[in-house]
Amino acid sequence: MNAMCSASNIDANFVKLAALCEGKLFAKNTKRPDFKSFVLAQKEADLARVAFCSQMGSAFVILNKMEDAIIGAMATCDRIKVTSVLKEDAEKWEEMLEKHSKLLESTLGNLIKILSKHPILQDDLNYLGWLKSKRDFFIHRFFREGNWPGNLDPRECEFYIRRARYFEIIFNRASVRIWKIFARAGLFILYDLGADGVLLMNPDMFAPDIEEESGG
């Protein structure tokens, strides 16, 4: 594989095949057996390339699911403060929505900076830093080796499919671990119910504001 190739070198036939697959899949009159027959009629190399693109798309979806989980966890915890001051007379639901909107504008790096100001264990901060490095590689450097789908043979596609799957597993696990990290920090209460899942409780949800207790 030529490491110096660029996106403009992607095989034109593969681009046409990808577009054809999309059109065939979403055509109103296409039935599952018809699409399966269409796919099986393609060359092995082209099928491997489509599979690579599919895995990349799946990993990207899980990455966004992970970042949404981190933001959602932060928005759940009243003890975590963002730069904007929430209005004192706003309803709890409105406060959460305002906080969530603010966090959505932040990158994962900025979210880690916010978390570092709160009682998060150092091991957990290290994990989040490692997670950010994996996220940054996937977003910014995954194709630095010139591994564009149209330039790969089936064996090379299989290698990069496994790599993309590796990132997907990391991001998916992080979507669950973030809640446990916050629970260890005491930002909310987590009850592990085993096969039935977990129960989360925000310890500050029904507590009066510190300013109100102190008469401020």
Side-chain angles (χ1 to χ4, degrees):
M1 182 182 64
N2 182 4
M4 298 301 293
C5 58
S6 64
S8 61
N9 300 129
I10 296 179
D11 184 74
N13 291 329
F14 167 69
V15 175
K16 293 179 182 178
L17 173 64
L20 189 59
C21 283
E22 181 180 356
K24 187 75 174 178
L25 179 61
F26 293 104
K28 293 183 179 179
N29 298 325
T30 298
K31 298 179 181 179
R32 178 175 293 184
D34 297 333
F35 183 72
K36 182 178 181 180
S37 298
F38 167 77
V39 170
L40 293 177
Q42 306 308 313
K43 296 178 181 178
E44 180 184 2
D46 287 334
L47 288 180
R49 292 162 184 165
V50 170
F52 178 25
C53 290
S54 176
Q55 180 58 64
M56 286 296 295
S58 178
F60 184 75
V61 169
I62 297 301
L63 166 62
N64 282 271
K65 174 177 173 285
M66 176 199 75
E67 294 190 336
D68 186 68
I70 294 175
I71 292 170
M74 294 183 72
T76 301
C77 305
D78 284 346
R79 291 177 185 172
I80 291 184
K81 308 300 181 183
V82 290
T83 54
S84 62
V85 178
L86 301 179
K87 296 180 180 180
E88 294 180 357
D89 58 348
E91 295 293 331
K92 292 294 183 182
W93 178 252
E94 294 176 347
E95 290 179 352
M96 188 187 72
L97 290 180
E98 183 178 348
K99 186 187 299 184
H100 191 266
S101 175
K102 181 64 178 178
L103 291 172
L104 282 174
E105 300 173 2
S106 302
T107 63
L108 181 58
N110 287 334
L111 295 181
I112 293 174
K113 289 180 181 178
I114 294 174
L115 291 176
S116 66
K117 300 176 182 178
H118 296 270
I120 305 294
L121 297 177
Q122 187 59 48
D123 285 347
D124 289 336
L125 283 176
N126 292 341
Y127 167 74
L128 291 174
W130 174 83
L131 182 64
K132 179 182 180 300
S133 70
K134 296 301 182 183
R135 182 263 184 199
D136 290 348
F137 179 90
F138 181 77
I139 292 295
H140 301 296
R141 299 192 297 278
F142 190 92
F143 290 102
R144 288 287 179 88
E145 298 174 353
N147 48 312
W148 304 103
N151 294 323
L152 305 180
D153 61 31
R155 180 184 58 81
E156 292 169 328
C157 284
E158 182 180 355
F159 171 82
Y160 287 106
I161 286 173
R162 289 199 303 269
R163 177 178 286 187
R165 177 58 180 157
Y166 162 76
F167 283 102
E168 180 177 326
I169 291 172
I170 289 174
F171 300 148
N172 196 43
R173 288 175 177 172
S175 299
V176 177
R177 289 178 178 174
I178 186 63
W179 299 96
K180 296 181 180 180
I181 288 174
F182 280 22
R184 284 194 290 270
L187 295 171
F188 51 65
I189 301 171
L190 183 149
Y191 295 100
D192 191 340
L193 305 178
D196 294 325
V198 296
L199 175 64
L200 303 174
M201 179 182 296
N202 183 345
D204 294 331
M205 181 175 294
F206 303 106
D209 293 337
I210 295 175
E211 290 82 359
E212 292 178 357
E213 289 182 342
S214 61

